[in-house]
């Protein structure tokens, strides 16, 4: 076994390995893998590696990221993310995973990273280790990673022909218009700086027109938003990553948020309901809400737990 550089030339082998090992839970597509593990500016090529056997066949890989984008949204420069670490089942318990992880951790240390998070990277696949991969959790714990919370993906299915858009005096719900782009970005910078702001910036850079954003307005000013996604979105978004598991179109809701000054008025629930309304208008019967801890809140809207994940972190410098 030897480690070689992270290279898109091997994308077919990498995706085949992914699907062989975890494809029954998380089916991977080359388009998605290319988007998240190569095209993202924040992929740390020095810290990412591919393990090959004596026949030069891919038997494992690790994808690592750190903040490298020139866009400043306040994400920490001293944090490293491990997007995925995967080893072929025939080559486990032979030191392959440890060699990959050691390379990443050492490279991170040399570049000033002091904390490593499993998942949660920009253009992440997972918010943590999927709960179905219990052996993976145990393995990382042996490597010094600590669990510190849990997140969930939720799912709901619809059979009714329509889903009404909520209505409340004094506020207006609509899809974002092209000319409202700067207003949305200003709102996000003020109320939700960081990851959500960055994702919106990237959305527009990739040709987004506004159809993926529901906005809540009061006196013509945006006070809330909800992202909605489907197969026609310009970027494959987190809540529709695993759409190949279904034989019908899948839609996604989230993230979403309301100006802190306007909370307590039921606007959060309204903006989600508006998101459902617009996706149902597009003929989508199954909708996923990804990476949330608000299980009871979404239960009110008939969403139940579909997948769950454990957060893991490791501090390199105490």
């Amino acid at each position: 076994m030897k480690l070689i550089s992270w290279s898109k030339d091997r994308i077919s082998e990498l995706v085949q390995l992914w699907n062989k090992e975890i494809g029954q839970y998380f089916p991977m597509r080359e388009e998605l893998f290319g988007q998240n593990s190569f095209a993202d500016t924040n992929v740390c090529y020095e810290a990412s590696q591919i393990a090959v056997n004596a026949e030069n066949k891919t038997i494992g890989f690790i994808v690592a990221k750190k903040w490298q984008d020139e866009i400043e949204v306040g994400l920490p420069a001293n944090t490293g993310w491990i997007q995925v670490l995967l080893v072929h089942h025939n080559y486990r318990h032979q030191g392959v995973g440890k060699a990959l992880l050691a390379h990443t951790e050492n490279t991170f240390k040399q570049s000033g990273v002091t904390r490593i998070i499993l998942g949660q990277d920009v253009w992440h696949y997972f918010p943590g280790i999927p709960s179905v991969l219990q052996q993976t959790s145990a393995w990382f714990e042996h490597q010094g990673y600590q669990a510190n919370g849990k997140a969930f993906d939720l799912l709901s299915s619809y059979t009714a022909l329509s889903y009404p858009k909520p209505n409340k005096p004094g506020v207006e719900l609509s899809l974002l218009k092209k000319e409202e782009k700067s207003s949305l970005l200003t709102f996000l910078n003020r109320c939700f700086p960081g990851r959500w702001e960055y994702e919106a910036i990237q959305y527009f850079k990739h040709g987004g027109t506004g159809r993926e954003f529901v906005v809540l307005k009061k006196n013509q000013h945006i006070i809330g938003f909800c992202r909605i996604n489907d197969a026609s979105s310009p970027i494959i978004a987190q809540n529709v990553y695993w759409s190949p598991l279904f034989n019908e179109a899948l839609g996604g809701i989230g993230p979403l948020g309301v100006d802190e000054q306007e909370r307590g008025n039921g606007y959060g629930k309204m903006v989600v309901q508006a998101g459902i309304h617009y996706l149902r208008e597009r003929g989508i019967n199954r909708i996923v809400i990804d990476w949330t801890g608000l299980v009871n809140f979404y239960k009110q809207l008939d969403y139940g737990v579909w997948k769950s994940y454990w957060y893991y972190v490791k501090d390199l410098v105490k």
Side-chain angles (χ1 to χ4, degrees), residues 140-182:
F140 270 104
E141 287 171 10
H142 284 302
Q143 315 310 316
Y145 288 78
Q146 296 183 323
N148 65 344
K150 203 168 188 181
F152 304 90
D153 291 347
L154 311 178
L155 175 68
S156 190
S157 300
Y158 298 88
T159 55
L161 294 178
S162 63
Y163 189 96
K165 184 173 73 171
N167 184 38
K168 193 170 188 175
V171 292
E172 174 193 357
L173 285 159
S174 65
L175 292 176
L176 185 77
K177 301 179 179 67
K178 263 189 174 182
E179 58 269 23
E180 294 174 323
K181 168 186 169 181
S182 60

Side-chain angles (χ1 to χ4, degrees), residues 211-238:
R211 71 184 288 278
E212 279 71 31
F213 281 95
V214 177
V215 287
L216 176 69
K217 289 181 282 190
K218 185 177 186 180
N219 299 323
Q220 302 302 310
H221 295 289
I222 295 175
I223 62 167
F225 83 105
C226 176
R227 175 81 175 262
I228 58 176
N229 305 293
D230 57 28
S232 298
S233 301
I235 296 171
I236 305 174
Q238 294 90 341

Side-chain angles (χ1 to χ4, degrees), residues 166-312:
N167 184 38
K168 193 170 188 175
V171 292
E172 174 193 357
L173 285 159
S174 65
L175 292 176
L176 185 77
K177 301 179 179 67
K178 263 189 174 182
E179 58 269 23
E180 294 174 323
K181 168 186 169 181
S182 60
S183 297
L184 175 67
L185 293 178
T186 299
F187 164 77
L188 291 173
N189 177 262
R190 178 172 61 85
C191 296
F192 301 100
R195 182 185 296 269
W196 292 358
E197 177 191 6
Y198 180 70
E199 289 179 351
I201 292 169
Q202 290 293 337
Y203 164 79
F204 289 113
K205 282 181 67 175
H206 285 79
T209 62
R211 71 184 288 278
E212 279 71 31
F213 281 95
V214 177
V215 287
L216 176 69
K217 289 181 282 190
K218 185 177 186 180
N219 299 323
Q220 302 302 310
H221 295 289
I222 295 175
I223 62 167
F225 83 105
C226 176
R227 175 81 175 262
I228 58 176
N229 305 293
D230 57 28
S232 298
S233 301
I235 296 171
I236 305 174
Q238 294 90 341
N239 34 41
V240 295
Y241 281 169
W242 318 125
S243 55
L245 289 171
F246 301 95
N247 293 320
E248 59 184 306
L250 185 68
I253 284 179
L256 61 105
V258 174
D259 187 326
E260 188 176 9
Q261 303 301 317
E262 300 288 349
R263 292 173 193 169
N265 296 304
Y267 293 153
K269 187 175 181 180
M270 283 179 63
V271 80
V272 175
Q273 290 172 317
I276 297 169
H277 164 77
Y278 286 114
L279 288 174
R280 293 293 294 117
E281 275 198 333
R282 296 173 188 173
I284 292 171
N285 300 324
R286 291 180 186 265
I287 300 175
V288 168
I289 296 170
D290 72 298
W291 190 357
T292 184
L294 303 176
V295 175
N296 290 331
F297 171 77
Y298 289 113
K299 191 175 181 180
Q300 302 172 55
L301 297 168
D302 297 319
Y303 280 78
V305 172
W306 180 42
K307 296 180 182 293
S308 58
Y309 310 86
W310 285 103
Y311 295 140
Y312 276 88

Side-chain angles (χ1 to χ4, degrees), residues 93-104:
H93 311 295
Q94 299 177 34
V96 177
K98 284 186 178 181
L100 288 165
L101 183 61
H103 172 86
T104 295

Side-chain angles (χ1 to χ4, degrees), residues 20-39:
K20 182 186 292 289
E21 300 303 326
I22 59 173
Q24 70 270 38
Y25 307 115
F26 306 101
M28 182 52 65
R29 298 163 271 170
E30 285 195 17
E31 181 186 6
L32 174 58
F33 199 77
Q35 171 188 284
N36 286 13
S37 299
F38 288 102

Side-chain angles (χ1 to χ4, degrees), residues 24-63:
Q24 70 270 38
Y25 307 115
F26 306 101
M28 182 52 65
R29 298 163 271 170
E30 285 195 17
E31 181 186 6
L32 174 58
F33 199 77
Q35 171 188 284
N36 286 13
S37 299
F38 288 102
D40 179 13
T41 304
N42 302 296
V43 173
C44 184
Y45 276 71
E46 297 81 6
S48 305
Q49 292 274 278
I50 300 170
V52 297
N53 62 14
E55 289 75 42
N56 198 32
K57 299 294 184 183
T58 298
I59 59 170
F61 63 90
I62 190 166
V63 186

